[in-house]
Amino acid sequence: MDPEVIGAIIGVLATLGGVILAFYLANRLTLNDSMDSKSGWRKELMNIASKDEITLADIYRIRASVRYYPYPYSETNQLSFRWMSSLIINLCDEYFVETYRDKHVASYKCSNSSNFQPNVTISPENDEIVRIICRYLLKYHWEARQKMQIFRRGRDLMNIDDDEPSEDVARIIQLILEQVDKINSSSPQNIFQISAADQLKDILNTAFKKLTITTRRYLSK
């Protein structure tokens, strides 16, 4: 076959492949934008992160924004997004909800109105932990949108690698630990504060049951 004809065919195929790839990526981005705009996922997290007072209802919103159930820590790399998402779930379920649910029920009992909607606020130290979590989720989501990896079998093609240790997660953990220290040092200290700080430490210790060399390296930065 004439080399010029072969070259022309190759050129046409390359152009066609480029068009198909561009269409595919544009379609994925449009779908992602549509799902985000309809669900209001980012808007909800940004609203929570910018609030002066965080409520128990906000905790439920954050919990609804992550996985239905956590990955077992043993099946994820420490300081990866999967690991962090499991920690966020456990903080929501085992710490925030458990700590403030009784206040929520008590608010209903104290009200004489059947239409009363209790607005249970959480402590200032815990407020900041919630904001830290929201900022992390927003940052990860934004970077996942920017770093598209196309050919990844069996996983969301528009996400970045979410099971590799990240310096961002290490910074988040350090910020949370600073808040735990503030809860411990707040004055006057009461039984509720001591219990809350201990509960937070237990959840973090469970997540860090076995520190790897990589984890130590990231946390030491």
Side-chain angles (χ1 to χ4, degrees), residues 12 25 33 37 42 45 54 63 67 87 103 111 143 157 165 183 195 198 206:
V12 170
L25 292 177
D33 284 335
S37 62
R42 285 186 62 85
L45 288 178
I54 308 295
R63 178 62 184 88
R67 289 176 57 84
L87 178 59
K103 290 186 177 181
S111 172
E143 292 184 349
L157 303 180
I183 293 174
S195 175
D198 289 343
T206 299

Side-chain angles (χ1 to χ4, degrees), residues 104-124:
H104 190 265
V105 174
S107 297
Y108 271 115
K109 291 181 178 179
C110 291
S111 172
N112 295 323
S113 172
S114 59
N115 296 322
F116 175 70
Q117 294 295 321
N119 189 29
V120 178
T121 58
I122 64 180
S123 69

Side-chain angles (χ1 to χ4, degrees), residues 21-216:
L21 180 60
F23 176 78
Y24 169 77
L25 292 177
N27 184 58
R28 293 292 303 216
L29 282 171
T30 301
L31 177 61
N32 206 337
D33 284 335
S34 176
M35 291 177 66
D36 183 43
S37 62
K38 288 180 179 178
S39 66
W41 185 85
R42 285 186 62 85
K43 182 179 179 181
E44 287 285 346
L45 288 178
M46 290 183 71
N47 286 340
I48 295 171
S50 60
K51 288 181 67 174
D52 186 39
E53 287 187 342
I54 308 295
T55 68
L56 187 58
D58 295 324
I59 303 299
Y60 286 125
R61 289 189 184 94
I62 294 173
R63 178 62 184 88
S65 72
V66 289
R67 289 176 57 84
Y68 179 71
Y69 57 88
Y71 292 104
Y73 289 122
S74 60
E75 296 179 8
T76 62
N77 289 326
Q78 286 181 353
L79 302 183
S80 66
F81 176 75
R82 285 187 174 188
W83 180 90
M84 186 62 190
S85 66
S86 296
L87 178 59
I88 290 171
I89 290 171
N90 290 330
L91 285 172
C92 288
D93 291 347
E94 299 175 15
Y95 176 62
F96 290 113
V97 172
E98 288 298 319
T99 300
Y100 294 98
R101 184 169 51 192
D102 289 343
K103 290 186 177 181
H104 190 265
V105 174
S107 297
Y108 271 115
K109 291 181 178 179
C110 291
S111 172
N112 295 323
S113 172
S114 59
N115 296 322
F116 175 70
Q117 294 295 321
N119 189 29
V120 178
T121 58
I122 64 180
S123 69
E125 293 82 9
N126 283 330
D127 276 353
E128 188 56 28
I129 293 177
V130 174
R131 295 189 191 99
I132 289 167
I133 290 171
C134 288
R135 291 196 294 266
Y136 166 74
L137 289 172
L138 289 166
K139 184 177 188 297
Y140 176 82
H141 179 261
W142 177 254
E143 292 184 349
R145 293 285 310 280
Q146 304 305 309
K147 299 179 181 178
M148 297 181 297
Q149 295 188 13
I150 302 169
F151 302 107
R152 296 176 64 196
R153 185 177 303 170
R155 298 174 69 177
D156 188 345
L157 303 180
M158 300 303 290
N159 280 340
I160 58 176
D161 192 348
D162 58 4
D163 201 32
E164 290 298 322
S166 164
E167 290 187 22
D168 288 334
V169 177
R171 293 190 191 101
I172 294 301
I173 296 302
Q174 289 167 347
L175 290 172
I176 291 176
L177 289 173
E178 289 175 9
Q179 292 306 119
V180 174
D181 290 338
K182 288 182 180 180
I183 293 174
N184 276 328
S185 61
S186 58
S187 181
Q189 197 173 61
N190 55 44
I191 295 176
F192 173 78
Q193 290 171 321
I194 295 172
S195 175
D198 289 343
Q199 194 172 0
L200 265 173
K201 287 181 179 178
D202 287 343
I203 293 172
L204 290 170
N205 288 335
T206 299
F208 282 111
K209 196 167 186 179
K210 183 179 180 182
L211 281 175
T212 64
I213 296 175
T214 302
T215 303
R216 290 192 180 95

